[in-house]
Amino acid sequence: MILGIECTAHTFGVAVVNKGKVLSNMRDMYKTEKGGIIPMESAKHHREIAEKIYKEALDKAGINEAKIKAIAISNAPGLAPCLHAGMNFAKNLAKRLNVNIVGVNHCVAHLEIGRSVGAKDPVLLYASGANTQIIAYASGKYRVFGETLDIGIGNFIDKFARHIGIGFPGGPQIEKLALEGKYIELPYSIKGMDVSFSGMQTKLQQLYDKGINKKDLSFSLQETAFAMLIEAAERALAHTGKKELVLGGGVACNSRLQEMAKIMCSERGAKFFCPAREFLVDNAGMIAFTGELMFNAGVRDDIDKIDINPRERTDDVDVVWR
Ligand code: AMP
Ligand code: MG
């Protein structure tokens, strides 16, 4: 049994995986009524909730601690205080249980969990709060083929939501508002496989301040921003010659983004994979799943040397397990 811990931002999660099967995947998310994530507050949340979520994960999996063979911890990338909170918990547990520890890159885990739903060698469209990347495997690494040049798609959506008086996370409410909106043209910014949202952000705020209604703005935001992501993902499929697309990240919970991805894939004869919601959002299941792949390939970290790596990039990781 591999225990996985997720802690990189707002979510603290613990999961148990055995031979690629996720036996439990528990999580709790730091939320705010108004405004965005305060890293120190989110870290405090993680420290307070850790023991409870850990117990729930063991209970749900129906195992006791003695069955745990290694602990996989999301040590990169993310918010430093949150990573610290998770790392401390993981280290103490690994010492107490006398088991190995494996550091897992959060972005890589989003791609790997796509393999649990059947993808073999996909392009990942990773659309989350802080991250927006198009990732695929090429000669020993997961390469970033495209990414946001400014802010992550989720943060972009949340920032707009905040501007119109919606708390964090804003995505689900923007999705609801969008259902009844009409299209207004917004800045569409894509360069090669890179995207940028700041121009659209400014325009949206200006239009809202001028009195344009929330529904039309939400609809237009989704249509424009998602079309950019899908265009970049399609270009990555074309360039790499790969034939599978996987979605990951909280924004991938959006039905319209999923629909656009599905249409693009069917038009070019690619397979489309969308993991279940619990594996799209930040979750420990994907950390445990990836940790198990790594552990089985012989990856182990030294418990006295392993550290957090808030800025580690997806292509910094040597993918020795495939
Ligand atoms: P993550 O960082 O992967 O946990 O994802 C969190 C982000 O996903 C936040 O920015 C949310 O606003 C966003 N999000 C969650 N659900 C949706 C949705 N249905 N549509 C758009 N964005 C969403
Ligand atoms: Mg994530």
Side-chain angles (χ1 to χ4, degrees):
M1 305 277 171
I2 306 290
L3 190 90
I5 298 173
E6 162 59 34
C7 63
T8 55
H10 44 62
T11 296
F12 186 85
V14 181
V16 177
V17 161
N18 184 234
K19 300 198 178 79
K21 248 190 101 192
V22 182
L23 304 181
S24 67
N25 186 25
M26 311 309 290
R27 59 194 290 273
D28 191 84
M29 187 177 168
Y30 159 82
K31 291 196 176 83
T32 67
E33 288 288 318
K34 261 182 84 202
I37 307 180
I38 300 162
M40 295 301 279
E41 289 296 313
S42 182
K44 183 159 163 261
H45 159 268
H46 292 2
R47 284 193 297 273
E48 285 170 359
I49 206 84
E51 198 63 38
K52 175 169 171 272
I53 302 292
Y54 171 60
K55 294 241 159 66
E56 285 177 10
L58 294 183
D59 280 354
K60 182 84 191 288
I63 64 156
N64 61 38
E65 296 186 323
K67 287 266 175 16
I68 299 170
K69 198 133 189 220
I71 293 174
I73 168 75
S74 61
N75 67 328
L79 303 170
C82 302
L83 293 168
H84 263 302
M87 181 58 85
N88 278 340
F89 184 78
K91 275 190 180 177
N92 287 336
L93 192 60
K95 278 187 185 147
R96 188 161 66 73
L97 301 178
N98 193 25
V99 297
N100 285 115
I101 194 163
V102 180
V104 175
N105 177 291
H106 176 96
C107 308
V108 166
H110 273 291
L111 190 141
E112 290 298 355
I113 197 66
R115 297 217 256 165
S116 76
V117 290
K120 294 197 173 60
D121 185 18
V123 167
L124 168 71
L125 171 55
Y126 176 32
S128 79
N131 298 295
T132 301
Q133 296 186 328
I134 315 257
I135 302 169
Y137 182 81
S139 47
K141 300 255 175 122
Y142 285 118
R143 315 273 171 188
V144 178
F145 283 86
E147 64 189 315
T148 178
L149 298 173
D150 40 44
I151 60 174
I153 173 90
N155 287 355
F156 156 69
I157 295 173
D158 293 335
K159 205 167 157 196
F160 173 66
R162 211 149 64 225
H163 189 78
I164 65 172
I166 297 172
F168 172 83
Q173 294 199 57
I174 296 293
E175 178 171 11
K176 275 197 205 112
L177 286 168
L179 290 174
E180 293 168 28
K182 293 188 309 293
Y183 187 70
I184 300 164
E185 195 166 326
L186 293 171
Y188 184 94
S189 177
I190 174 162
K191 297 202 167 69
M193 284 173 270
D194 293 332
V195 293
S196 118
F197 299 110
S198 54
M200 201 189 321
Q201 185 102 63
T202 307
K203 186 75 187 175
L204 280 165
Q205 294 188 0
Q206 285 169 351
L207 290 171
Y208 179 74
D209 294 344
K210 270 194 211 150
I212 306 288
N213 75 74
K214 294 178 185 182
K215 291 174 179 171
D216 292 350
L217 293 175
S218 298
F219 177 76
S220 309
L221 176 158
Q222 287 197 172
E223 293 304 303
T224 313
F226 295 167
M228 283 159 51
L229 296 183
I230 298 301
E231 181 183 334
E234 179 165 25
R235 198 162 289 144
L237 285 166
H239 269 291
T240 59
K242 296 191 196 284
K243 302 226 156 8
E244 299 174 334
L245 181 72
V246 167
L247 293 186
V251 180
C253 296
N254 188 290
S255 304
R256 180 59 179 142
L257 179 61
Q258 292 178 10
E259 183 184 23
M260 284 186 179
K262 212 178 293 170
I263 294 169
M264 182 271 279
C265 285
S266 77
E267 282 179 353
R268 61 176 297 113
K271 280 193 194 152
F272 172 61
F273 297 92
C274 187
R277 193 181 184 286
E278 66 169 315
F279 297 113
L280 287 176
V281 297
D282 284 357
N283 69 92
M286 67 180 188
I287 304 298
F289 183 89
T290 308
E292 186 179 53
L293 294 174
M294 295 170 74
F295 184 77
N296 288 344
V299 180
R300 279 124 182 80
D301 281 297
D302 183 331
I303 192 154
D304 295 315
K305 292 209 185 103
I306 185 170
D307 202 355
I308 64 163
N309 203 342
R311 299 195 168 275
E312 180 174 79
R313 289 191 42 97
T314 305
D315 46 16
D316 286 338
V317 180
D318 277 320
V319 184
V320 297
W321 59 92
R322 60 176 281 174

PDB file of all heavy atoms in Angstrom, residues 1 11 21 45 67 76 86 94 96 115 126 154 166 168 180 183 198 220 224 227 248 250 288 296 299 302 308 319:
ATOM      1  N   MET A   1       0.838  -1.194   0.000  1.00  0.00           N
ATOM      2  CA  MET A   1       0.000   0.000   0.000  1.00  0.00           C
ATOM      3  C   MET A   1       0.875   1.247   0.000  1.00  0.00           C
ATOM      4  O   MET A   1       1.816   1.354   0.764  1.00  0.00           O
ATOM      5  CB  MET A   1      -0.852   0.059   1.285  1.00  0.00           C
ATOM      6  CG  MET A   1      -1.677  -1.166   1.518  1.00  0.00           C
ATOM      7  SD  MET A   1      -3.208  -1.104   0.593  1.00  0.00           S
ATOM      8  CE  MET A   1      -3.789  -2.769   0.880  1.00  0.00           C
ATOM      9  N   THR A  11      -5.832  22.478  -1.117  1.00  0.00           N
ATOM     10  CA  THR A  11      -6.390  21.183  -0.746  1.00  0.00           C
ATOM     11  C   THR A  11      -5.405  20.356   0.058  1.00  0.00           C
ATOM     12  O   THR A  11      -4.234  20.252  -0.319  1.00  0.00           O
ATOM     13  CB  THR A  11      -6.800  20.405  -2.013  1.00  0.00           C
ATOM     14  OG1 THR A  11      -7.861  21.127  -2.661  1.00  0.00           O
ATOM     15  CG2 THR A  11      -7.281  19.003  -1.680  1.00  0.00           C
ATOM     16  N   LYS A  21      -4.725   0.737  -7.978  1.00  0.00           N
ATOM     17  CA  LYS A  21      -6.127   0.942  -7.590  1.00  0.00           C
ATOM     18  C   LYS A  21      -6.203   1.923  -6.437  1.00  0.00           C
ATOM     19  O   LYS A  21      -5.504   1.766  -5.435  1.00  0.00           O
ATOM     20  CB  LYS A  21      -6.749  -0.388  -7.148  1.00  0.00           C
ATOM     21  CG  LYS A  21      -7.822  -0.869  -8.114  1.00  0.00           C
ATOM     22  CD  LYS A  21      -8.596  -2.046  -7.577  1.00  0.00           C
ATOM     23  CE  LYS A  21      -9.910  -1.545  -7.040  1.00  0.00           C
ATOM     24  NZ  LYS A  21     -10.700  -2.410  -6.269  1.00  0.00           N
ATOM     25  N   HIS A  45      -4.747  25.548   7.784  1.00  0.00           N
ATOM     26  CA  HIS A  45      -5.828  24.596   7.502  1.00  0.00           C
ATOM     27  C   HIS A  45      -5.264  23.180   7.362  1.00  0.00           C
ATOM     28  O   HIS A  45      -5.775  22.223   7.945  1.00  0.00           O
ATOM     29  CB  HIS A  45      -6.569  25.018   6.227  1.00  0.00           C
ATOM     30  CG  HIS A  45      -7.343  23.916   5.572  1.00  0.00           C
ATOM     31  ND1 HIS A  45      -6.807  23.119   4.576  1.00  0.00           N
ATOM     32  CD2 HIS A  45      -8.597  23.451   5.800  1.00  0.00           C
ATOM     33  CE1 HIS A  45      -7.715  22.217   4.221  1.00  0.00           C
ATOM     34  NE2 HIS A  45      -8.798  22.403   4.930  1.00  0.00           N
ATOM     35  N   LYS A  67       0.201  -1.511   7.137  1.00  0.00           N
ATOM     36  CA  LYS A  67       0.189  -1.940   5.738  1.00  0.00           C
ATOM     37  C   LYS A  67       0.888  -0.946   4.799  1.00  0.00           C
ATOM     38  O   LYS A  67       1.130  -1.235   3.634  1.00  0.00           O
ATOM     39  CB  LYS A  67      -1.275  -2.098   5.277  1.00  0.00           C
ATOM     40  CG  LYS A  67      -1.960  -3.317   5.857  1.00  0.00           C
ATOM     41  CD  LYS A  67      -1.827  -4.448   4.879  1.00  0.00           C
ATOM     42  CE  LYS A  67      -2.328  -5.805   5.267  1.00  0.00           C
ATOM     43  NZ  LYS A  67      -3.206  -6.015   6.347  1.00  0.00           N
ATOM     44  N   ALA A  76       6.244  19.483  -4.734  1.00  0.00           N
ATOM     45  CA  ALA A  76       6.498  20.517  -5.744  1.00  0.00           C
ATOM     46  C   ALA A  76       5.457  20.454  -6.846  1.00  0.00           C
ATOM     47  O   ALA A  76       4.903  19.380  -7.079  1.00  0.00           O
ATOM     48  CB  ALA A  76       7.875  20.267  -6.376  1.00  0.00           C
ATOM     49  N   GLY A  86       2.554  20.062   4.587  1.00  0.00           N
ATOM     50  CA  GLY A  86       2.407  18.682   4.129  1.00  0.00           C
ATOM     51  C   GLY A  86       3.674  17.873   4.335  1.00  0.00           C
ATOM     52  O   GLY A  86       3.629  16.710   4.752  1.00  0.00           O
ATOM     53  N   ALA A  94       6.413   9.166   8.124  1.00  0.00           N
ATOM     54  CA  ALA A  94       7.380   8.212   7.561  1.00  0.00           C
ATOM     55  C   ALA A  94       8.365   7.748   8.628  1.00  0.00           C
ATOM     56  O   ALA A  94       8.749   6.572   8.671  1.00  0.00           O
ATOM     57  CB  ALA A  94       8.119   8.840   6.382  1.00  0.00           C
ATOM     58  N   ARG A  96       7.791   7.713  11.936  1.00  0.00           N
ATOM     59  CA  ARG A  96       7.065   6.908  12.921  1.00  0.00           C
ATOM     60  C   ARG A  96       6.800   5.503  12.379  1.00  0.00           C
ATOM     61  O   ARG A  96       6.935   4.511  13.102  1.00  0.00           O
ATOM     62  CB  ARG A  96       5.738   7.603  13.260  1.00  0.00           C
ATOM     63  CG  ARG A  96       4.974   6.961  14.403  1.00  0.00           C
ATOM     64  CD  ARG A  96       3.950   7.906  15.009  1.00  0.00           C
ATOM     65  NE  ARG A  96       2.866   8.266  14.107  1.00  0.00           N
ATOM     66  CZ  ARG A  96       1.884   7.443  13.753  1.00  0.00           C
ATOM     67  NH1 ARG A  96       1.846   6.215  14.215  1.00  0.00           N
ATOM     68  NH2 ARG A  96       0.943   7.843  12.932  1.00  0.00           N
ATOM     69  N   ARG A 115      -3.433   7.898 -16.907  1.00  0.00           N
ATOM     70  CA  ARG A 115      -3.170   6.511 -17.294  1.00  0.00           C
ATOM     71  C   ARG A 115      -4.125   5.549 -16.585  1.00  0.00           C
ATOM     72  O   ARG A 115      -4.386   4.450 -17.074  1.00  0.00           O
ATOM     73  CB  ARG A 115      -1.719   6.157 -16.983  1.00  0.00           C
ATOM     74  CG  ARG A 115      -0.763   7.027 -17.813  1.00  0.00           C
ATOM     75  CD  ARG A 115       0.416   6.250 -18.252  1.00  0.00           C
ATOM     76  NE  ARG A 115       1.609   6.558 -17.499  1.00  0.00           N
ATOM     77  CZ  ARG A 115       2.690   5.784 -17.524  1.00  0.00           C
ATOM     78  NH1 ARG A 115       2.692   4.676 -18.220  1.00  0.00           N
ATOM     79  NH2 ARG A 115       3.748   6.126 -16.840  1.00  0.00           N
ATOM     80  N   TYR A 126      -3.517  20.684 -18.755  1.00  0.00           N
ATOM     81  CA  TYR A 126      -3.600  20.863 -17.304  1.00  0.00           C
ATOM     82  C   TYR A 126      -4.091  22.279 -17.032  1.00  0.00           C
ATOM     83  O   TYR A 126      -3.355  23.250 -17.235  1.00  0.00           O
ATOM     84  CB  TYR A 126      -2.223  20.602 -16.690  1.00  0.00           C
ATOM     85  CG  TYR A 126      -2.149  20.835 -15.205  1.00  0.00           C
ATOM     86  CD1 TYR A 126      -3.247  20.605 -14.392  1.00  0.00           C
ATOM     87  CD2 TYR A 126      -0.977  21.259 -14.603  1.00  0.00           C
ATOM     88  CE1 TYR A 126      -3.177  20.808 -13.030  1.00  0.00           C
ATOM     89  CE2 TYR A 126      -0.888  21.464 -13.241  1.00  0.00           C
ATOM     90  CZ  TYR A 126      -2.001  21.244 -12.459  1.00  0.00           C
ATOM     91  OH  TYR A 126      -1.937  21.460 -11.111  1.00  0.00           O
ATOM     92  N   GLY A 154      -7.362  29.180 -13.907  1.00  0.00           N
ATOM     93  CA  GLY A 154      -8.253  29.195 -12.735  1.00  0.00           C
ATOM     94  C   GLY A 154      -8.124  30.495 -11.959  1.00  0.00           C
ATOM     95  O   GLY A 154      -9.128  31.100 -11.556  1.00  0.00           O
ATOM     96  N   ILE A 166     -17.882  37.538  -6.328  1.00  0.00           N
ATOM     97  CA  ILE A 166     -18.045  36.106  -6.029  1.00  0.00           C
ATOM     98  C   ILE A 166     -16.806  35.621  -5.280  1.00  0.00           C
ATOM     99  O   ILE A 166     -15.684  35.981  -5.630  1.00  0.00           O
ATOM    100  CB  ILE A 166     -18.211  35.299  -7.341  1.00  0.00           C
ATOM    101  CG1 ILE A 166     -19.481  35.718  -8.069  1.00  0.00           C
ATOM    102  CG2 ILE A 166     -18.233  33.796  -7.055  1.00  0.00           C
ATOM    103  CD1 ILE A 166     -19.617  35.121  -9.456  1.00  0.00           C
ATOM    104  N   PHE A 168     -14.097  32.625  -3.493  1.00  0.00           N
ATOM    105  CA  PHE A 168     -13.246  31.575  -4.053  1.00  0.00           C
ATOM    106  C   PHE A 168     -13.817  30.209  -3.706  1.00  0.00           C
ATOM    107  O   PHE A 168     -14.220  30.014  -2.569  1.00  0.00           O
ATOM    108  CB  PHE A 168     -11.827  31.727  -3.473  1.00  0.00           C
ATOM    109  CG  PHE A 168     -10.910  30.602  -3.833  1.00  0.00           C
ATOM    110  CD1 PHE A 168     -10.259  30.596  -5.053  1.00  0.00           C
ATOM    111  CD2 PHE A 168     -10.710  29.542  -2.950  1.00  0.00           C
ATOM    112  CE1 PHE A 168      -9.425  29.551  -5.386  1.00  0.00           C
ATOM    113  CE2 PHE A 168      -9.868  28.497  -3.287  1.00  0.00           C
ATOM    114  CZ  PHE A 168      -9.224  28.501  -4.505  1.00  0.00           C
ATOM    115  N   GLU A 180     -26.555  31.166 -19.386  1.00  0.00           N
ATOM    116  CA  GLU A 180     -27.570  32.049 -19.974  1.00  0.00           C
ATOM    117  C   GLU A 180     -26.979  33.280 -20.647  1.00  0.00           C
ATOM    118  O   GLU A 180     -27.668  34.277 -20.849  1.00  0.00           O
ATOM    119  CB  GLU A 180     -28.549  32.495 -18.886  1.00  0.00           C
ATOM    120  CG  GLU A 180     -29.386  31.353 -18.353  1.00  0.00           C
ATOM    121  CD  GLU A 180     -30.137  31.741 -17.100  1.00  0.00           C
ATOM    122  OE1 GLU A 180     -30.438  32.930 -16.935  1.00  0.00           O
ATOM    123  OE2 GLU A 180     -30.406  30.854 -16.282  1.00  0.00           O
ATOM    124  N   TYR A 183     -22.591  35.967 -26.526  1.00  0.00           N
ATOM    125  CA  TYR A 183     -21.177  36.185 -26.835  1.00  0.00           C
ATOM    126  C   TYR A 183     -20.824  37.650 -27.088  1.00  0.00           C
ATOM    127  O   TYR A 183     -21.486  38.334 -27.868  1.00  0.00           O
ATOM    128  CB  TYR A 183     -20.770  35.346 -28.049  1.00  0.00           C
ATOM    129  CG  TYR A 183     -19.288  35.413 -28.314  1.00  0.00           C
ATOM    130  CD1 TYR A 183     -18.391  34.809 -27.449  1.00  0.00           C
ATOM    131  CD2 TYR A 183     -18.786  36.112 -29.406  1.00  0.00           C
ATOM    132  CE1 TYR A 183     -17.025  34.888 -27.657  1.00  0.00           C
ATOM    133  CE2 TYR A 183     -17.420  36.198 -29.634  1.00  0.00           C
ATOM    134  CZ  TYR A 183     -16.550  35.577 -28.750  1.00  0.00           C
ATOM    135  OH  TYR A 183     -15.211  35.672 -28.960  1.00  0.00           O
ATOM    136  N   SER A 198      -4.034  38.125 -19.434  1.00  0.00           N
ATOM    137  CA  SER A 198      -4.134  39.426 -18.755  1.00  0.00           C
ATOM    138  C   SER A 198      -4.896  40.456 -19.581  1.00  0.00           C
ATOM    139  O   SER A 198      -5.628  41.276 -19.019  1.00  0.00           O
ATOM    140  CB  SER A 198      -2.755  39.938 -18.344  1.00  0.00           C
ATOM    141  OG  SER A 198      -1.911  39.962 -19.460  1.00  0.00           O
ATOM    142  N   SER A 220     -18.769  34.693 -22.352  1.00  0.00           N
ATOM    143  CA  SER A 220     -17.728  35.096 -23.293  1.00  0.00           C
ATOM    144  C   SER A 220     -16.342  34.749 -22.775  1.00  0.00           C
ATOM    145  O   SER A 220     -15.454  34.353 -23.542  1.00  0.00           O
ATOM    146  CB  SER A 220     -17.834  36.592 -23.566  1.00  0.00           C
ATOM    147  OG  SER A 220     -19.157  36.909 -23.928  1.00  0.00           O
ATOM    148  N   THR A 224     -13.994  32.194 -24.954  1.00  0.00           N
ATOM    149  CA  THR A 224     -12.725  32.711 -25.467  1.00  0.00           C
ATOM    150  C   THR A 224     -11.532  31.999 -24.828  1.00  0.00           C
ATOM    151  O   THR A 224     -10.644  31.495 -25.531  1.00  0.00           O
ATOM    152  CB  THR A 224     -12.636  34.232 -25.209  1.00  0.00           C
ATOM    153  OG1 THR A 224     -13.855  34.841 -25.616  1.00  0.00           O
ATOM    154  CG2 THR A 224     -11.474  34.840 -25.977  1.00  0.00           C
ATOM    155  N   ALA A 227     -11.392  28.273 -25.793  1.00  0.00           N
ATOM    156  CA  ALA A 227     -11.002  28.079 -27.199  1.00  0.00           C
ATOM    157  C   ALA A 227      -9.484  28.211 -27.352  1.00  0.00           C
ATOM    158  O   ALA A 227      -8.848  27.466 -28.108  1.00  0.00           O
ATOM    159  CB  ALA A 227     -11.725  29.082 -28.089  1.00  0.00           C
ATOM    160  N   GLY A 248      -6.819  17.685 -16.972  1.00  0.00           N
ATOM    161  CA  GLY A 248      -6.478  17.689 -15.554  1.00  0.00           C
ATOM    162  C   GLY A 248      -6.654  19.084 -14.990  1.00  0.00           C
ATOM    163  O   GLY A 248      -6.692  20.066 -15.740  1.00  0.00           O
ATOM    164  N   GLY A 250      -8.576  21.670 -11.767  1.00  0.00           N
ATOM    165  CA  GLY A 250      -9.924  22.015 -11.332  1.00  0.00           C
ATOM    166  C   GLY A 250     -10.783  22.613 -12.430  1.00  0.00           C
ATOM    167  O   GLY A 250     -11.992  22.367 -12.492  1.00  0.00           O
ATOM    168  N   ALA A 288      -0.558   9.403  -4.797  1.00  0.00           N
ATOM    169  CA  ALA A 288      -0.283   8.023  -4.404  1.00  0.00           C
ATOM    170  C   ALA A 288      -0.080   7.148  -5.646  1.00  0.00           C
ATOM    171  O   ALA A 288       0.828   6.304  -5.687  1.00  0.00           O
ATOM    172  CB  ALA A 288      -1.432   7.482  -3.551  1.00  0.00           C
ATOM    173  N   ASN A 296       7.900   1.696  -7.398  1.00  0.00           N
ATOM    174  CA  ASN A 296       8.138   0.406  -8.053  1.00  0.00           C
ATOM    175  C   ASN A 296       9.319   0.463  -9.012  1.00  0.00           C
ATOM    176  O   ASN A 296       9.921  -0.563  -9.322  1.00  0.00           O
ATOM    177  CB  ASN A 296       6.881  -0.060  -8.799  1.00  0.00           C
ATOM    178  CG  ASN A 296       5.798  -0.501  -7.830  1.00  0.00           C
ATOM    179  OD1 ASN A 296       6.069  -0.746  -6.645  1.00  0.00           O
ATOM    180  ND2 ASN A 296       4.562  -0.578  -8.304  1.00  0.00           N
ATOM    181  N   VAL A 299      12.471   4.518  -7.124  1.00  0.00           N
ATOM    182  CA  VAL A 299      12.692   5.887  -6.633  1.00  0.00           C
ATOM    183  C   VAL A 299      12.408   5.956  -5.129  1.00  0.00           C
ATOM    184  O   VAL A 299      11.362   5.520  -4.670  1.00  0.00           O
ATOM    185  CB  VAL A 299      11.768   6.898  -7.360  1.00  0.00           C
ATOM    186  CG1 VAL A 299      12.000   8.310  -6.833  1.00  0.00           C
ATOM    187  CG2 VAL A 299      11.973   6.835  -8.867  1.00  0.00           C
ATOM    188  N   ASP A 302      15.725  10.483   0.352  1.00  0.00           N
ATOM    189  CA  ASP A 302      16.343  10.412   1.675  1.00  0.00           C
ATOM    190  C   ASP A 302      15.532  11.296   2.617  1.00  0.00           C
ATOM    191  O   ASP A 302      15.374  12.497   2.371  1.00  0.00           O
ATOM    192  CB  ASP A 302      17.794  10.916   1.563  1.00  0.00           C
ATOM    193  CG  ASP A 302      18.537  10.799   2.891  1.00  0.00           C
ATOM    194  OD1 ASP A 302      17.876  10.869   3.961  1.00  0.00           O
ATOM    195  OD2 ASP A 302      19.761  10.644   2.847  1.00  0.00           O
ATOM    196  N   ILE A 308      10.962  20.656   0.144  1.00  0.00           N
ATOM    197  CA  ILE A 308       9.944  21.179  -0.760  1.00  0.00           C
ATOM    198  C   ILE A 308      10.638  21.898  -1.913  1.00  0.00           C
ATOM    199  O   ILE A 308      11.792  22.297  -1.794  1.00  0.00           O
ATOM    200  CB  ILE A 308       8.968  22.138  -0.046  1.00  0.00           C
ATOM    201  CG1 ILE A 308       9.713  23.378   0.451  1.00  0.00           C
ATOM    202  CG2 ILE A 308       8.265  21.426   1.089  1.00  0.00           C
ATOM    203  CD1 ILE A 308       8.791  24.532   0.784  1.00  0.00           C
ATOM    204  N   VAL A 319      11.959  11.249 -15.636  1.00  0.00           N
ATOM    205  CA  VAL A 319      10.892  10.244 -15.584  1.00  0.00           C
ATOM    206  C   VAL A 319      11.511   8.862 -15.764  1.00  0.00           C
ATOM    207  O   VAL A 319      11.563   8.341 -16.874  1.00  0.00           O
ATOM    208  CB  VAL A 319       9.819  10.539 -16.656  1.00  0.00           C
ATOM    209  CG1 VAL A 319       8.663   9.563 -16.561  1.00  0.00           C
ATOM    210  CG2 VAL A 319       9.297  11.965 -16.486  1.00  0.00           C
TER     211      VAL A 319
END
